[in-house]
Amino acid sequence: MERTLVIVKPDGVQRGLVGEIIGRIERRGLRLIGMKFMQVSPELAARHYAIHKGKPFYDGLISYITSSPVVVMAWEGPKAVEAVRQLMGATNPTAAAPGTIRADFAVEIGRNLTHGSDSPDNGLAEVALWFQSNELASWQRDGECWVFEKN
Ligand code: DAT
Ligand code: MG
């Protein structure tokens, strides 16, 4: 079982795409274990995007993610990280495959709607960064055995 952190970024919230984005992940069959609507502080943004510090787009990225509220979620499932990355599409929306969230709804890399963890280790670390353990539910969805072969 993997965990992945998903953020509907400020553009996704402002454009009314929260339900659309959550719906795609939900229908894929992954298990939602945490969700909150929040304004991201500059401190949290800096910790989340620490790996990009010093890059030319870093300042723009921090001001974008802190510009307006986001929806942040933790999802669980076998291959959850890869499944969400596939649903989101490539970082640059015009390079993303048709049918992905970024290709369907975005055009610019700096307004690409979503974040998804990029490895199982980062999935665990990012969920721990954004959620307290008492904000995460341990549960199973009815009928999950029809999506997850092993539980
Ligand atoms: P992803 O969000 O697909 O994991 P990433 O981790 O490489 O991509 O970068 C984080 C975010 O930073 C990305 O969603 C958009 C922004 N970004 C990345 N590369 C960029 C670039 N070359 N120009 C502008 N923004 C960029
Ligand atoms: Mg990334």
Side-chain angles (χ1 to χ4, degrees):
M1 219 40 113
E2 291 178 6
R3 284 184 176 182
T4 186
L5 184 88
V6 176
I7 305 173
V8 180
K9 294 176 178 178
D11 46 344
V13 174
Q14 290 281 0
R15 293 177 56 201
L17 292 169
V18 170
E20 172 71 38
I21 291 166
I22 294 177
R24 289 183 181 213
I25 303 170
E26 199 177 32
R27 291 196 300 273
R28 189 76 184 266
L30 296 179
R31 180 197 292 157
L32 181 65
I33 57 166
M35 176 160 65
K36 51 191 174 181
F37 180 70
M38 62 185 284
Q39 179 71 44
V40 182
S41 68
E43 293 73 25
L44 180 57
R47 289 184 68 187
H48 177 72
Y49 282 129
I51 194 166
H52 297 300
K53 196 167 167 56
K55 295 183 185 169
F57 57 85
Y58 178 78
D59 289 347
L61 184 59
I62 298 297
S63 63
Y64 163 49
I65 202 75
T66 58
S67 62
S68 179
V70 302
V71 174
V72 55
M73 294 167 276
W75 291 86
E76 208 168 56
K79 306 188 89 177
V81 167
E82 206 180 321
V84 166
R85 296 288 295 186
Q86 184 185 42
L87 285 173
M88 293 193 322
T91 307
N92 188 343
T94 53
T100 61
I101 292 164
R102 285 164 168 171
D104 285 354
F105 302 111
V107 286
E108 292 232 274
I109 196 168
R111 295 289 183 271
N112 65 2
L113 294 171
T114 51
H115 168 83
S117 305
D118 63 5
S119 70
D121 283 351
N122 284 340
L124 288 176
E126 290 179 355
V127 169
L129 175 64
W130 287 77
F131 287 93
Q132 305 292 324
S133 53
N134 65 5
E135 295 176 313
L136 299 172
S138 178
W139 69 301
Q140 296 195 341
R141 235 165 117 176
D142 284 350
E144 223 167 44
C145 61
W146 302 111
V147 185
F148 305 162
E149 185 178 359
K150 296 193 185 72
N151 226 319

